[in-house]
């Protein structure tokens, strides 16, 4: 806002100086002195940050202008309106009152000067009003930006704290799981193996004196070892998640990663018995979907990519489809060729279609 007010004052000074030169004014040295004093006071005014001192300088500027009007040249009165509006704006809220106040000196001026003074007063008021509105909006925008910046900092801090909390939670969960497995091995398998060892040590001592008892102890040790091995098998089985959970969760993690890093949205849907998908098929599905998502990100200009996984009676169907522009011709690059080769290793097939967006469908046979 201050820039345009300064510009207006400079424009008025140039106008006054031009008229002074054209009229061949006799006291040109006083005109120059008035210019310099007015210029220095106003430069100090806009450099100063203290509001009280700024008001004092405003009053001083008006006083210098009035004195120059009375003593040096009447044209200096043209500098009064903008200074009066500036000073009064800090005390008077209504803009109409500011305009009337800036027009007040016209009542005491020579008739020949009144029209040009009135015009300058109105133009100065309009300039001040427009710049004030713009300045107020700018201040509000800056305050809004500051609030948004603080909010962003708070959200960033919360995200960092949540990330740290998740990391600590994962670490704590791993420690608890390791402790549980260790305790389970100790309570079940450790006791069984210790009991079997005691039985075999006792049988070893009785081999020379009581073979029947030694044989009975060895048989007990064999039974205890079998039970321990069975406990190991059950423990490992309970620890290992089902294959279908590993496969679908890997896809979900892949989608979460794409949604977090890319502009477009990815949607995953699935239906059917996921138990029928073999581990090697899950591997092919994951690699093909990753390749298709990467291609969509690079070339499709899409806003959404959907992946539909269906387990039917005889086949597994995985379609990756985007809502991009598609293309009239399909040029198979290394990505699509690699998908076809991977799928062919399990007697599957890849179908590519670009008639409506771009879609890649992987068909895999269900093992019977």
């Amino acid at each position: 806002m201050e820039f345009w007010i300064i510009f207006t004052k400079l424009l008025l000074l140039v106008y006054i100086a031009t008229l002074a030169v054209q009229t061949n004014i006799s006291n040109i040295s006083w005109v120059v002195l008035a210019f310099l004093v007015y210029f220095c006071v106003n430069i100090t005014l806009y450099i100063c940050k203290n509001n009280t001192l700024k008001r004092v300088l405003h009053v001083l500027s008006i006083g210098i202008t009035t004195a120059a009007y009375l003593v040096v040249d009447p044209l200096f009165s043209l500098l009064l309106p903008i200074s009066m509006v500036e000073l009064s704006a800090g005390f008077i809220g209504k803009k109409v009152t500011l305009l009337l106040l800036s027009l007040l000196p016209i009542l005491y001026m020579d008739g020949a000067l009144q029209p040009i003074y009135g015009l300058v007063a109105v133009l100065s008021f309009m300039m001040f009003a427009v710049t004030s509105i713009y300045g107020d909006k700018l201040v509000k925008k800056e305050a809004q930006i500051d609030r948004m910046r603080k909010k962003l900092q708070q959200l960033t801090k919360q995200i960092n704290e949540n990330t740290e909390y998740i990391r600590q939670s994962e670490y704590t969960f791993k420690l608890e799981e390791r402790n549980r497995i260790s305790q389970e091995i100790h309570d079940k398998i450790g006791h069984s193996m210790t009991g079997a060892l005691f039985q075999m040590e006792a049988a070893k001592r009785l081999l020379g004196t009581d073979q029947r008892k030694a044989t009975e102890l060895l048989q007990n040790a064999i039974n205890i070892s079998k039970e321990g091995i069975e406990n190991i098998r059950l423990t490992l089985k309970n620890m290992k998640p089902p294959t279908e959970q590993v496969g679908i969760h890997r896809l979900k993690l892949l989608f979460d990663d794409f949604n977090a890093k890319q502009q477009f949205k990815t949607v995953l849907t699935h239906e059917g018995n996921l138990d029928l998908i073999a581990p090697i098929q899950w591997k092919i599905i994951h690699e093909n979907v990753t390749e298709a998502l990467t291609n969509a990100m690079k070339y499709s200009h899409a806003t959404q990519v959907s992946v539909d996984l269906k387990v039917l009676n005889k086949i597994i169907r995985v379609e990756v489809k985007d809502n991009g522009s598609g293309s009239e011709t399909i040029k198979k690059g290394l990505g699509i060729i690699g998908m076809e080769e991977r799928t062919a290793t399990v007697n599957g097939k890849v179908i590519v279609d670009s008639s409506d967006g771009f879609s890649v469908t992987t068909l895999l046979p269900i093992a019977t």
Side-chain angles (χ1 to χ4, degrees):
M1 183 179 73
E2 289 182 349
F3 169 79
W4 291 107
I5 295 175
I6 295 172
F7 177 76
T8 302
K9 290 183 176 181
L10 288 175
L11 202 62
L12 289 171
L13 286 172
V14 171
Y15 177 72
I16 294 170
T18 303
L19 289 180
V21 171
Q22 289 177 350
T23 55
N24 295 320
I25 191 168
S26 58
N27 54 346
I28 190 67
S29 58
W30 285 101
V31 173
V32 173
L33 178 62
F35 271 32
L36 291 175
V37 175
Y38 179 84
F39 184 79
C40 292
V41 170
N42 279 269
I43 287 296
T44 307
L45 169 66
Y46 295 112
I47 293 175
C48 177
K49 299 298 181 183
N50 185 281
N51 289 330
T52 302
L53 184 57
K54 286 172 79 74
R55 291 192 180 104
V56 172
L57 291 172
H58 272 304
V59 173
L60 182 59
S61 177
I62 293 173
I64 293 170
T65 304
T66 304
Y69 160 69
L70 296 173
V71 177
V72 181
D73 191 288
L75 287 174
F76 276 95
S77 62
L78 301 181
L79 297 171
L80 277 174
I82 188 68
S83 297
M84 293 178 67
V85 170
E86 269 191 289
L87 177 61
S88 304
F91 306 98
I92 301 173
K94 292 184 178 180
K95 289 184 169 55
V96 177
T97 306
L98 294 177
L99 176 60
L100 294 176
L101 187 63
S102 65
L103 288 171
L104 188 61
I106 201 173
L107 301 175
Y108 305 96
M109 291 182 179
D110 182 72
L113 194 60
Q114 286 179 345
I116 189 171
Y117 179 87
L119 178 62
V120 170
V122 172
L123 292 177
S124 299
F125 169 76
M126 291 175 61
M127 174 66 72
F128 181 82
V130 171
T131 53
S132 296
I133 294 171
Y134 175 77
D136 291 342
K137 289 182 178 181
L138 186 62
V139 169
K140 290 180 181 179
K141 291 294 183 182
E142 288 178 349
Q144 184 179 5
I145 290 172
D146 288 338
R147 289 194 299 270
M148 293 175 66
R149 187 181 294 111
K150 290 179 181 179
K151 187 69 174 177
L152 180 61
Q153 291 174 350
Q154 292 174 355
L155 291 174
T156 303
K157 183 180 178 181
Q158 290 177 2
I159 290 172
N160 292 335
E161 289 175 351
N162 290 339
T163 302
E164 181 64 20
Y165 174 76
I166 292 171
R167 191 183 68 81
Q168 291 292 339
S169 298
E170 290 177 349
Y171 180 69
T172 302
F173 175 76
K174 289 178 182 178
L175 289 180
E176 291 176 350
E177 186 66 12
R178 286 169 60 183
N179 183 66
R180 184 189 68 80
I181 295 170
S182 175
Q183 191 66 42
E184 189 169 347
I185 291 174
H186 176 271
D187 292 343
K188 294 181 179 180
I189 304 168
H191 290 167
S192 298
M193 293 298 102
T194 302
L197 180 61
F198 286 156
Q199 296 282 342
M200 286 186 285
E201 286 287 345
K204 179 182 177 181
R205 294 177 181 275
L206 293 174
L207 278 175
T209 57
D210 190 348
Q211 287 190 350
R212 187 185 65 80
K213 186 64 176 176
T215 303
E216 182 180 341
L217 291 172
L218 283 173
Q219 186 60 47
N220 287 338
I222 291 171
N223 293 335
I224 292 172
S225 298
K226 287 181 178 179
E227 183 181 349
I229 292 171
E230 182 63 20
N231 285 332
I232 292 174
R233 190 184 67 81
L234 291 174
T235 301
L236 294 176
K237 181 180 179 182
N238 292 331
M239 287 171 55
K240 184 179 179 181
T243 303
E244 72 278 3
Q245 289 187 12
V246 175
I248 198 66
H249 282 297
R250 280 190 69 193
L251 278 182
K252 289 180 179 179
L253 287 174
L254 174 66
F255 274 58
D256 290 341
D257 184 60
F258 262 83
N259 283 327
K261 296 179 180 179
Q262 310 304 328
Q263 296 292 333
F264 57 74
K265 181 182 179 182
T266 53
V267 180
L268 171 65
T269 57
H270 61 87
E271 63 178 84
N273 186 7
L274 300 180
D275 294 340
L276 298 176
I277 305 177
I280 184 63
Q281 292 174 328
W282 275 119
K283 182 176 183 296
I284 293 171
I285 291 171
H286 188 272
E287 291 176 351
N288 284 5
V289 169
T290 303
E291 182 65 34
L293 288 176
T294 304
N295 288 341
M297 177 189 68
K298 291 180 179 178
Y299 310 117
S300 69
H301 306 292
T303 59
Q304 179 172 309
V305 180
S306 61
V307 176
D308 183 36
L309 169 61
K310 290 182 179 179
V311 181
L312 306 173
N313 292 332
K314 299 293 183 179
I315 62 170
I316 302 159
R317 181 180 179 273
V318 185
E319 182 188 44
V320 182
K321 181 177 176 59
D322 63 56
N323 63 347
S325 56
S327 62
E328 295 181 358
T329 59
I330 298 174
K331 183 179 179 181
K332 293 184 179 181
L334 294 177
I336 295 178
I337 293 174
M339 294 167 67
E340 291 177 337
E341 291 176 351
R342 278 193 298 270
T343 308
T345 59
V346 291
N347 299 320
K349 186 177 181 181
V350 172
I351 301 173
V352 182
D353 181 31
S354 61
S355 58
D356 181 18
F358 196 88
S359 67
V360 179
T361 304
T362 303
L363 302 176
L364 300 173
I366 295 177
T368 55

